[in-house]
Amino acid sequence: MALRKLGYIFLLLLCQYVCAQTDSITQLKEVVISDTQLKDFSKSQQVWQLNDSIINRSPSSLGALLNYNTVIYFKENGLGMVSSPSFRGTNAQQTAVIWNGININSQLNGQTDFNIINTRDFDEVSVRAGGGSVIYGSSAIGGSIHLNNELRFKDTFDNTLFLSYGSYNTQGLNYKLNVANKKFSSSFAVSRNSSDNDYEYPSGIINENGQYYNTSLNASFGYKLNEKNILRLYSYFYDGDRHFSRTVSAPSLSKYKDYNTRNLLEWMGIYGKFTSKLKAAYLTENYKYYARYTNDNYTFGEVKTYIGRYDLAYQVTDNIKLNTLLNYTVNKGKGSDIDNKNREIASGSLLLQHSVTPKLQYEAGVRKEITNAYESPLLFSLGGSYQVASFYTVKLNASRNFRIPTYNDLYWQGSGNPNLNPETSYQGELGNEFRVKNIKLTVTGYYIRMHDMLRWVPGSDNIWRPENVDKAKTYGIESVLNWDKKLGNHHFTIDATYAYTVSQRDGSTNQLIYVPFHKATAAVGYSYKGLGFYYRHLYNGKVYYTSDNVSQVDAYNVSTIGAEYQFKFLGGLTVGAQVRNLWAEEYENVRARPLPGRNYTMYLNFKF
């Protein structure tokens, strides 16, 4: 209760402070996004933005997009099933997903399923490597994935319709509408994806009970009250029904239903050197799990999250920027297996960015949380970048980050442990960025030291309970290469990534399970006028699925080849076709769960 009162008073005082500003009018930018910290306070770390052409040529799920185009490794329990990342050797609960500046990792299990997010619903998909808990809170240890919607205040009316059809009766639809003028801006998207998902295993067994469908709605609205103030509303709804497919050795009748909503209301004002953002968010997550979909018995979980956030930036000089982030969160959870509990978290962050010279800049930040659920550590981040030469920039960053215990960890009936500490990590990285004409290459080395890692372990009564029992270290190198060249009407592109990762528990030289030593991707594209061809390749090194490193899932290579043609009428119609798993590789990402052989997709992308 004390935290709630403190939060209300805090927001009231800040609101009064903003209203009192009477500095000279500063024009609002034509294009605005809510997650401005991603650009303003990430200059000492690597941030990669995936462009529209990559998104349109990829399957709709966020997991598939990132798996084939980034250094992140994904563990997928069959096509379309649960997809969880390992970013820099960390686990799925140590990778944050940020929606318009708001952390949306599940409060129940602490992670995001990357196969229930439709990438075409968003205007911008970015990947931020390394620690980010000072800004984004829990889970931003290995890195963070950012899903943003833009609002453009200029005369606009455009529609985009994307349709796809492929093997296993796989169907996809995405429709986007943007309507705007200098005063009002709106964006609306709807997606529908479904599949029978009945591909054949190498053994001849059919992938039974693998069917799925999902529908998502995404809407954004902005209104300029005047030249200093703007109101924005972001809303997202997701409804999915997914059967969990069988393994090689055992059939399945299970099913899982998701229903999630996110709503964010923001008032943004620019008052001279001050930029103010007052945010209120309401998020829900709901699931129902059926062990046998043939009957009506299920288990369930539900969490409602209320967030109040105040973001105040002050441009001290042309070269120095300060940013204060104040956040108050209330979680209300219940379920068939967890106790009904409320959790309150208040936090404050202070960020500094200083451009000492055009070539040298540094940034720093601290964060502290107060909560009734756990003892929170003081977090920090410090980094800088220096342009050594016209072609070479060096970046350095060090930080302390954390992941909070989940509802399942704290409140699982009969097993939850209310005395858990957050997982914490200290980490450092050294980045090297090279730019020569049309070529960009980044090479980053990093080291992460993790403490108080949460594991469910058996007690003396043979009941499994979560404990802070592990320490671990992760280190490695990741590199990203981009080349883009135009010669008249000819356009060539090459994109490639490579990651070498070592992840080990203290006292052991064994690699942690489902963390590959090596992962690489490559994509080559060529276009001439409206005609385009592309080839995409993924290599995943072997992974171990037992802690003694005796049993492994073998390495594999998977390729996609595609072609498309853009007709120049109305806004443009692109017709494309793909062959996925071109070489018919027999492979699995998780033991006993084979992924599809050669399969086909056709798509239409109509802009008008």
Side-chain angles (χ1 to χ4, degrees):
M1 183 61 70
L3 275 173
R4 185 178 289 114
K5 290 180 178 178
L6 177 61
Y8 294 156
I9 293 171
F10 210 39
L11 289 175
L12 255 168
L13 290 173
L14 288 167
C15 186
Q16 290 176 348
Y17 174 77
V18 172
C19 293
Q21 298 302 312
T22 57
D23 292 299
S24 59
I25 293 176
T26 302
Q27 294 284 342
L28 289 168
K29 295 180 180 179
E30 180 184 279
V31 180
V32 289
I33 63 172
S34 187
D35 187 9
T36 52
Q37 282 78 30
L38 178 63
K39 294 178 173 62
D40 293 344
F41 295 95
S42 301
K43 300 183 186 302
S44 64
Q45 294 172 275
Q46 302 299 333
V47 177
W48 304 291
Q49 183 175 337
L50 302 180
N51 61 41
D52 290 341
S53 63
I54 291 176
I55 293 173
N56 288 331
R57 292 172 177 177
S58 299
S60 60
S61 75
L62 181 61
L65 172 70
L66 298 179
N67 193 25
Y68 284 87
N69 296 285
T70 72
V71 296
I72 308 172
Y73 166 76
F74 282 86
K75 182 177 70 172
E76 187 174 21
N77 294 328
L79 182 65
M81 301 298 103
V82 175
S83 176
S84 52
S86 175
F87 200 160
R88 291 188 169 180
T90 63
N91 61 39
Q93 296 171 323
Q94 295 163 344
T95 299
V97 177
I98 312 299
W99 170 74
N100 291 306
I102 301 295
N103 190 319
I104 60 171
N105 278 30
S106 169
Q107 299 298 320
L108 293 167
N109 61 23
Q111 64 187 67
T112 294
D113 182 353
F114 281 64
N115 269 346
I116 68 169
I117 294 179
N118 296 318
T119 56
R120 295 187 182 94
D121 290 334
F122 306 99
D123 299 312
E124 181 182 286
V125 179
S126 299
V127 177
R128 185 183 194 266
S133 289
V134 167
I135 301 175
Y136 299 109
S138 177
S139 301
I141 295 177
S144 51
I145 315 302
H146 298 257
L147 311 171
N148 289 315
N149 295 103
E150 296 178 344
L151 288 170
R152 298 177 178 270
F153 289 92
K154 66 177 183 178
D155 292 335
T156 303
F157 184 88
D158 61 61
N159 299 261
T160 303
L161 177 63
F162 184 93
L163 299 170
S164 65
Y165 183 82
S167 301
Y168 326 119
N169 193 30
T170 301
Q171 304 175 41
L173 175 149
N174 174 261
Y175 170 72
K176 296 181 75 171
L177 169 67
N178 295 291
V179 179
N181 56 33
K182 295 179 180 179
K183 192 80 172 177
F184 172 78
S185 180
S186 65
S187 176
F188 175 80
V190 58
S191 294
R192 170 76 177 190
N193 297 283
S194 66
S195 178
D196 293 343
N197 207 18
D198 53 352
Y199 57 90
E200 185 176 345
Y201 291 176
S203 60
I205 297 173
I206 298 299
N207 182 45
E208 300 167 330
N209 199 53
Q211 63 268 33
Y212 63 84
Y213 75 81
N214 58 69
T215 303
S216 58
L217 299 173
N218 190 35
S220 306
F221 304 94
Y223 181 70
K224 284 186 177 181
L225 300 174
N226 52 45
E227 289 304 321
K228 292 194 299 182
N229 296 278
I230 180 175
L231 289 176
R232 287 180 280 182
L233 174 66
Y234 303 92
S235 292
Y236 187 82
F237 303 88
Y238 177 90
D239 178 58
D241 192 313
R242 179 171 43 171
H243 292 239
F244 285 159
S245 57
R246 64 167 297 147
T247 65
V248 169
S249 58
S252 170
L253 290 174
S254 61
K255 184 176 77 168
Y256 195 85
K257 295 176 67 69
D258 292 276
Y259 180 71
N260 304 318
T261 70
R262 303 172 200 131
N263 295 279
L264 171 63
L265 178 64
E266 178 180 287
W267 169 27
M268 173 182 172
I270 298 180
Y271 311 99
K273 294 185 176 182
F274 289 92
T275 301
S276 165
K277 296 179 186 176
L278 184 60
K279 302 181 180 184
Y282 174 59
L283 291 69
T284 69
E285 55 177 297
N286 303 266
Y287 79 85
K288 292 181 179 178
Y289 172 74
Y290 298 78
R292 298 177 66 88
Y293 73 86
T294 53
N295 60 46
D296 295 329
N297 298 324
Y298 60 83
T299 57
F300 77 96
E302 174 185 313
V303 177
K304 297 178 180 179
T305 298
Y306 305 84
I307 301 173
R309 179 166 174 155
Y310 187 64
D311 177 345
L312 180 65
Y314 177 54
Q315 195 72 44
V316 182
T317 67
D318 290 341
N319 300 322
I320 300 176
K321 185 174 185 178
L322 289 173
N323 202 160
T324 300
L325 302 174
L326 303 169
N327 200 88
Y328 181 68
T329 302
V330 176
N331 304 126
K332 296 184 177 181
K334 64 180 181 180
S336 50
D337 297 311
I338 59 174
D339 297 325
N340 293 3
K341 291 287 185 179
N342 293 351
R343 180 166 67 181
E344 302 178 42
I345 305 171
S347 68
S349 300
L350 179 62
L351 311 174
L352 165 68
Q353 196 274 328
H354 183 195
S355 297
V356 182
T357 70
K359 294 184 177 182
L360 173 66
Q361 72 85 35
Y362 68 89
E363 54 198 20
V366 293
R367 178 189 179 104
K368 179 64 178 176
E369 290 191 351
I370 303 173
T371 178
N372 61 349
Y374 51 85
E375 184 65 30
S376 178
L378 178 68
L379 307 178
F380 69 85
S381 177
L382 177 64
S385 66
Y386 179 64
Q387 185 178 350
V388 179
S390 60
F391 63 90
Y392 173 52
T393 299
V394 63
K395 299 181 178 183
L396 183 65
N397 184 273
S399 61
R400 187 185 190 191
N401 304 281
F402 78 149
R403 178 183 78 84
I404 67 176
T406 68
Y407 259 76
N408 290 351
D409 295 328
L410 295 168
Y411 309 126
W412 194 268
Q413 291 178 358
S415 301
N417 183 353
N419 299 314
L420 294 170
N421 294 320
E423 296 179 341
T424 58
S425 74
Y426 291 93
Q427 57 199 85
E429 63 179 81
L430 177 64
N432 303 272
E433 183 177 294
F434 303 88
R435 291 178 181 266
V436 179
K437 294 183 178 180
N438 305 98
I439 301 174
K440 178 183 177 182
L441 171 66
T442 63
V443 180
T444 304
Y446 62 87
Y447 181 88
I448 304 174
R449 184 81 171 111
M450 288 179 279
H451 301 267
D452 288 331
M453 292 182 67
L454 292 169
R455 292 287 182 269
W456 284 69
V457 296
S460 57
D461 53 2
N462 291 323
I463 295 178
W464 289 69
R465 294 185 177 88
E467 300 286 349
N468 294 106
V469 294
D470 273 345
K471 295 181 180 179
K473 63 177 179 293
T474 295
Y475 58 91
I477 295 174
E478 58 192 21
S479 60
V480 178
L481 172 68
N482 307 108
W483 178 71
D484 189 296
K485 181 69 174 179
K486 290 183 178 180
L487 295 173
N489 292 321
H490 302 273
H491 187 195
F492 303 87
T493 60
I494 296 177
D495 299 284
T497 73
Y498 170 73
Y500 171 72
T501 309
V502 176
S503 187
Q504 301 168 337
R505 287 194 179 95
D506 272 17
S508 173
T509 57
N510 292 336
Q511 183 86 334
L512 290 178
I513 63 171
Y514 288 108
V515 177
F517 286 107
H518 305 279
K519 184 196 171 183
T521 70
V524 179
Y526 166 74
S527 64
Y528 175 75
K529 296 184 177 179
L531 182 64
F533 300 94
Y534 52 92
Y535 177 83
R536 186 170 59 217
H537 192 89
L538 165 67
Y539 170 77
N540 259 334
K542 68 180 179 182
V543 297
Y544 299 105
Y545 61 85
T546 57
S547 58
D548 58 9
N549 283 188
V550 171
S551 303
Q552 69 181 47
V553 176
D554 292 335
Y556 57 85
N557 291 274
V558 183
S559 298
T560 295
I561 191 170
E564 60 186 26
Y565 184 77
Q566 184 177 9
F567 296 90
K568 302 289 187 180
F569 63 87
L570 296 179
L573 170 65
T574 300
V575 179
Q578 295 178 341
V579 182
R580 298 175 180 170
N581 194 357
L582 175 65
W583 310 115
E585 176 92 348
E586 294 184 1
Y587 73 107
E588 55 188 24
N589 179 265
V590 173
R591 186 178 71 90
R593 294 186 177 275
L595 287 160
R598 185 183 294 117
N599 60 97
Y600 308 89
T601 297
M602 301 176 293
Y603 59 88
L604 301 174
N605 192 14
F606 189 27
K607 296 183 179 180
F608 55 98

